[in-house]
Amino acid sequence: MPFLLKTEPNKYSYEDLERDGETVWDGIANNQALLYLRGMKKGEKLVIYHSNIGKAAVGTAKVASVDASDPKNPRVIIKPVKKFKVPKELAEIRAASVFTDSIMFRQFRLSVVPITDDQYDWLVG
């Protein structure tokens, strides 16, 4: 299952992820978001979304490893895959019919959101 990960680009951007080569995706406090993190599997596809500043999906990443032994602080390591040539802005995502019933818009404050394969394909396509 693909996931959309939200980050504030002034704190940690996709460019930071590219520079670092990998990072631990942590700092998550919401129980629902933690549940999604703990359920991730190595190799799963991710979309990185810049929130607050930019408000756009900006690139893809993948799960490199998951250690969910600490349920309050799962250790999910992600690696960048490809930066989008043209970011998919929030208004464009919201208008797309493939996102009509997306949890992304029902629980907007979640920083980790599962998306469907069709939604992933739309974002990267």
Side-chain angles (χ1 to χ4, degrees):
M1 167 185 297
F3 291 89
L4 183 136
L5 303 180
K6 297 178 185 176
T7 183
E8 295 178 23
N10 59 328
K11 293 184 180 175
Y12 196 83
S13 69
Y14 191 83
E15 290 78 11
D16 294 326
L17 178 59
E18 286 181 313
R19 179 199 64 226
D20 296 345
E22 69 178 34
T23 194
V24 176
W25 204 260
D26 58 5
I28 306 299
N30 179 281
N31 287 333
Q32 185 65 50
L34 284 169
L35 182 68
Y36 293 139
L37 272 181
R38 286 193 305 267
M40 287 183 178
K41 301 198 179 357
K42 182 178 179 178
E44 282 187 309
K45 300 181 285 187
L46 308 169
V47 172
I48 306 299
Y49 178 87
H50 282 173
S51 62
N52 295 339
I53 301 169
K55 295 185 180 178
V58 295
T60 60
K62 67 179 179 180
V63 176
S65 67
V66 178
D67 177 357
S69 58
D70 179 353
K72 297 263 186 218
N73 190 25
R75 185 171 170 80
V76 177
I77 297 176
I78 69 167
K79 293 186 175 195
V81 174
K82 185 175 182 185
K83 185 176 180 178
F84 295 161
K85 289 181 182 172
V86 178
K88 294 275 181 137
E89 295 186 10
L90 177 61
E92 186 180 0
I93 297 168
R94 189 182 295 276
S97 61
V98 72
F99 282 92
T100 299
D101 293 326
S102 175
I103 193 169
M104 180 178 175
F105 297 115
R106 285 186 278 129
Q107 291 181 297
F108 197 75
R109 292 202 162 267
L110 284 181
S111 57
V112 179
V113 180
I115 56 176
T116 66
D117 288 327
D118 288 342
Q119 290 167 341
Y120 178 89
D121 292 343
W122 184 90
L123 287 166
V124 302

